[in-house]
Amino acid sequence: YQLAETICEPQEPRRTPILIAGGGEKKTLPLVAKYADVWSAGAESAEELGHKMGLLKRQCDAIGRDPDEIEVTTGFFFVDPFADLDGFLAEVEAYAAQGISLIHVGVMPGNPDPIGFTERICADLLPKVAGIG
């Protein structure tokens, strides 16, 4: 191939973000504090997440890292948000108050209509979750 007037401007190398998932207090949280750009928090409730966020903050303080540098996410993989939509939204709001910036909602295992479920997530759930902030 011959190219006329090509521009060769290599981009700066980028470091791949590191995501660590889990909620172990003795091993995982120190690793999150030291290495993670994103933490997929393993917590059964917003209250438990608050406890783990406090532990993560202490781990970060101990090594001189700002905990706000770590994006915090969580997943609701085995929860049908439509079984109790108001309860689900209240739970998402409680997680958001603890600092969660992203949630993952998975198609329920064995769901006979995963496409319909996904469309319903987009049409009925996302607008309500977006309003939580």
Side-chain angles (χ1 to χ4, degrees):
Y1 295 101
Q2 289 186 352
L3 301 173
E5 301 179 31
T6 59
I7 299 172
C8 183
E9 293 181 14
Q11 300 294 312
E12 293 286 326
R14 292 187 316 159
R15 185 178 70 78
T16 301
I18 296 172
L19 180 144
I20 298 176
E25 297 178 5
K26 294 179 182 175
K27 294 182 182 177
T28 304
L29 289 179
L31 290 172
V32 170
K34 189 171 182 180
Y35 298 111
D37 299 298
V38 182
W39 173 40
S40 184
E44 295 293 321
S45 67
E47 293 77 22
E48 182 182 353
L49 177 64
H51 167 73
K52 290 179 187 266
M53 294 284 287
L55 294 175
L56 179 61
K57 182 181 181 327
R58 286 196 287 283
Q59 291 287 337
C60 287
D61 289 346
I63 62 170
R65 182 172 185 195
D66 180 359
D68 291 335
E69 293 176 358
I70 303 168
E71 180 180 8
V72 183
T73 74
T74 196
F76 295 94
F77 298 111
F78 300 103
V79 174
D80 181 356
F82 301 110
D84 176 10
L85 186 56
D86 290 336
F88 180 80
L89 292 170
E91 189 171 0
V92 168
E93 190 167 9
Y95 274 83
Q98 295 293 342
I100 292 288
S101 60
L102 176 71
I103 62 167
H104 310 274
V105 177
V107 175
M108 297 295 294
N111 187 316
D113 184 16
I115 293 171
F117 180 82
T118 303
E119 288 173 343
R120 191 169 178 205
I121 291 282
C122 294
D124 298 340
L125 184 62
L126 288 181
K128 293 176 177 157
V129 171
I132 291 173

